[in-house]
Amino acid sequence: MSMLLAAFNEGVSHSMSGNHEAAIQVFDRVLGADPNHVLAMSAKGSALASLGRPREALKCFERAIDLDPETAEHYRNAALCQLELDEPEAARELLDEALQLNTEHAWREAAAVEIANLGEALATESGKHRTRGIGLTGKARYRHARHVLEMALELNPVQAEAARALADVWSHLGDTEKRDQYTQLAGRLLRTAS
């Protein structure tokens, strides 16, 4: 096994165990030896995203796209960063590209679940316990979560949990009509899934 591959595997091991700072240091060593190591670039982006550093992660995923423009995951990961940064239009463009590269329905569903999870985190985390987003508070935080959850439902309109979370967001935004609409949607989706 080459030293570069061994180092990359060490970084992955650190990431998988939740030690993202150590993983980033290892991926930086790999990238120092090979600046075009697309897997290390993408893995570094994932570690940065896990640490709640979407701006830095986005740069890694954009570089990964430059190095390997045919891999849908790079676009999806960059889109997640853009969503976290409350840039839904940029995220939509990246997701469209990802969905052209990977047309599998299961992949689309998985991307929608990841986006919904981000939306739920944005809606529920607050104060010093925040690990996602750009630090918005009050109604701005809920509007941010709304953009993300709406995109998740666009990608996969049968996500009951995303509809339920969106109902909660609309409740916080003070729109009872929208709250009721998404509460009813969540109920229908849950009944259909049973």
Side-chain angles (χ1 to χ4, degrees):
M1 180 183 319
S2 78
M3 298 212 17
L4 216 50
L5 180 58
F8 173 75
N9 288 339
E10 177 189 349
V12 170
S13 180
H14 284 305
S15 273
M16 291 178 68
S17 66
N19 191 352
H20 301 295
E21 290 291 352
I24 291 167
Q25 291 176 358
V26 174
F27 295 137
D28 280 341
R29 277 198 335 255
V30 172
L31 292 166
D34 179 2
N36 295 325
H37 197 291
V38 69
L39 293 176
M41 185 63 67
S42 183
K44 178 181 176 182
S46 293
L48 287 163
S50 293
L51 291 170
R53 294 161 58 185
R55 287 187 205 292
E56 294 169 76
L58 178 59
K59 290 178 185 174
C60 292
F61 296 129
E62 288 172 339
R63 178 70 178 132
I65 289 168
D66 289 342
L67 294 170
D68 181 16
E70 299 301 315
T71 299
E73 285 76 11
H74 304 320
Y75 293 92
R76 181 205 56 220
N77 292 337
L80 284 165
C81 290
Q82 290 287 21
L83 283 171
E84 196 163 344
L85 294 168
D86 202 17
E87 296 291 340
E89 295 82 17
R92 187 173 312 283
E93 289 177 24
L94 290 160
L95 278 173
D96 287 346
E97 187 67 34
L99 293 169
Q100 288 176 18
L101 291 168
N102 190 332
T103 59
E104 294 176 20
H105 185 70
W107 194 88
R108 180 186 192 98
E109 287 179 346
V113 167
E114 282 186 89
I115 292 168
N117 289 341
L118 173 61
E120 288 184 49
L122 292 168
T124 58
E125 293 181 352
S126 63
K128 65 181 180 178
H129 301 292
R130 177 179 297 282
T131 60
R132 310 305 305 180
I134 53 176
L136 298 175
T137 59
K139 290 198 186 271
R141 175 169 61 107
Y142 291 109
R143 283 191 292 274
H144 184 179
R146 186 196 93 208
H147 296 147
V148 176
L149 291 164
E150 285 174 345
M151 188 170 293
L153 278 174
E154 284 175 32
L155 281 175
N156 185 14
V158 298
Q159 288 188 86
E161 286 302 309
R164 182 205 46 77
L166 201 46
D168 186 54
V169 163
W170 279 112
S171 178
H172 286 285
L173 291 172
D175 189 328
T176 56
E177 185 178 322
K178 290 278 193 185
R179 178 201 64 203
D180 293 347
Q181 173 189 341
Y182 284 103
T183 298
Q184 291 170 5
L185 175 62
R188 281 194 308 274
L189 292 173
L190 286 170
R191 283 190 299 278
T192 304
S194 299

